[in-house]
Amino acid sequence: MEVIKTEGLTKYYGKVTGVRDLNLSIHSGEIFGFLGPNGAGKTTTMRLLVGLLRPSAGKAYVLGKDSWSKRVEIARDTGYLPGETRLYARLTGIEHINFVAGFGHADRSFALKLASRFELDLNRRTEEYSRGMKQQLALILALMKRPRILIMDEPTSGLDPLMQYLLYEILNDFRDNGTTIMLSSHNLPEVERVCNRVGIIKDGSLVAVESIEDLRNKRIRNIEVTFENGIPPQLETIAGIIEIEMSANRARIKTSGNLNPLIALLSKHRISDLSISHASLEDVFIEFYEKGRDEPYV
């Protein structure tokens, strides 16, 4: 079931493109990672989904409702974490929680349990909070509604590794209880750890949507081979080699596609050592960005 859907979603800031013709579907009960560098369109997309921005063209739907005209209704079922934490400096953590709970769609007792898990001191004014503490409070405020939809812009920003791991646990608990989560991130190991699928956005346009497993195994492999009698000159001519680094009798190869031509060549030579590994998610991500928009990635 699609709980988030965009159709030709487009946003211009004057002559600058935020997102262009974005067609995206996010399924119920999944954690969807949204990847791209600064300025790619991640934050614009999220603001369009929660009704903070009005589309220049196209539509966005959350729980089957138009994200702009039904933004108040959508807000009742959606937790939103913006990319930049904005808190009231003179209020304490507990006063922030009480303020949000006063709107009637949040669970104060659940917020207190989350604060306990984060070991966050709620009695201090937020002007005294560190960056990580401010992020923890912002997360609590987004989660305390137990929302059906969570839209989170860089949720681990400012968190130390221990708090990041705790957040992963909490997000998995939410997913297991039926919440659909969309999160943007620059942290590729984080995405690999928690997400079911990822969308990659470049210059405001969607480059690809892949499952984590398909993306991880996509085309690229890292191969290191040591020859007993020198590197054969034919090695550089093998189809699919993206990059090769040679020194003495050792070759480090980044390759894509069919491995059979390379294996056939290697079988004709004496080899003292060989290792083959799948590329990291970061390698695959960079490969997407090195390709032009019109180049297929298959």
Side-chain angles (χ1 to χ4, degrees):
M1 175 185 171
E2 296 173 338
V3 294
I4 295 175
K5 183 178 178 64
T6 68
E7 297 175 346
L9 188 63
T10 299
K11 179 63 181 179
Y12 297 114
Y13 301 100
K15 295 182 179 180
V16 177
T17 300
V19 293
R20 180 194 306 110
D21 196 27
L22 190 72
N23 296 296
L24 182 65
S25 295
I26 300 178
H27 306 144
S28 176
E30 73 171 335
I31 301 181
F32 185 89
F34 205 36
L35 299 179
N38 289 334
K42 305 186 303 297
T43 295
T44 294
T45 301
M46 292 183 162
R47 288 176 176 171
L48 287 164
L49 289 172
V50 297
L52 293 178
L53 293 175
R54 185 173 189 169
S56 302
K59 293 284 187 179
Y61 300 95
V62 177
L63 297 170
K65 301 171 184 177
D66 181 87
S67 65
W68 178 251
S69 64
K70 302 294 183 182
R71 57 192 181 277
V72 174
E73 295 178 28
I74 290 171
R76 296 185 185 123
D77 294 308
T78 304
Y80 174 57
L81 178 77
E84 296 183 6
T85 302
R86 303 287 186 182
L87 300 170
Y88 295 104
R90 304 291 291 175
L91 295 185
T92 63
I94 191 63
E95 287 171 336
H96 278 84
I97 288 172
N98 291 338
F99 178 71
V100 173
F103 288 99
H105 300 289
D107 186 339
R108 183 180 183 278
S109 63
F110 181 60
L112 296 179
K113 290 178 182 177
L114 289 173
S116 177
R117 292 184 70 179
F118 280 117
E119 299 182 355
L120 180 64
D121 183 354
L122 296 177
N123 295 315
R124 293 169 59 182
R125 291 178 175 177
T126 59
E127 63 184 358
E128 301 172 3
Y129 276 8
S130 67
R131 182 186 175 198
M133 294 170 71
K134 289 177 180 178
Q135 186 71 1
Q136 291 169 31
L137 180 57
L139 285 163
I140 291 167
L141 299 178
L143 295 167
M144 64 185 285
K145 289 194 292 185
R146 300 178 187 263
R148 294 173 61 188
I149 307 286
L150 265 173
I151 296 177
M152 314 181 83
D153 199 351
E154 302 283 349
T156 59
S157 177
L159 298 182
D160 64 40
L162 183 61
M163 291 298 103
Q164 290 178 21
Y165 185 77
L166 174 59
L167 178 60
Y168 302 152
E169 289 185 341
I170 292 170
L171 293 182
N172 281 323
D173 289 343
F174 268 78
R175 174 177 56 189
D176 292 345
N177 284 292
T179 297
T180 302
I181 303 168
M182 178 185 189
L183 62 86
S184 70
S185 179
H186 289 96
N187 186 334
L188 297 179
E190 166 183 290
V191 169
E192 195 168 7
R193 179 189 294 268
V194 301
C195 294
N196 305 104
R197 292 190 304 144
V198 297
I200 297 175
I201 189 169
K202 176 182 180 181
D203 299 329
S205 297
L206 198 64
V207 177
V209 176
E210 301 278 350
S211 72
I212 286 293
E213 193 62 29
D214 286 347
L215 185 61
R216 186 186 297 125
N217 296 327
K218 198 88 170 183
R219 299 186 61 181
I220 306 171
R221 293 176 178 85
N222 295 315
I223 299 170
E224 186 168 326
V225 56
T226 303
F227 297 89
E228 289 188 1
N229 300 312
I231 299 172
Q234 304 96 317
L235 186 62
E236 293 184 86
T237 67
I238 297 295
I241 288 181
I242 299 169
E243 182 180 302
I244 186 168
E245 177 186 333
M246 296 182 287
S247 61
N249 291 342
R250 180 176 298 174
R252 293 183 177 88
I253 303 163
K254 181 183 290 186
T255 186
S256 63
N258 189 350
L259 280 180
N260 288 331
L262 177 60
I263 298 300
L265 174 65
L266 297 181
S267 69
K268 298 176 182 178
H269 299 270
R270 295 183 66 82
I271 294 172
S272 60
D273 196 17
L274 173 68
S275 68
I276 302 175
S277 63
H278 289 297
S280 69
L281 186 61
E282 184 170 6
D283 288 333
V284 180
F285 177 74
I286 290 171
E287 177 70 3
F288 269 107
Y289 267 80
E290 288 176 345
K291 287 181 173 290
R293 167 101 166 86
D294 297 326
E295 292 183 62
Y297 195 88
V298 295

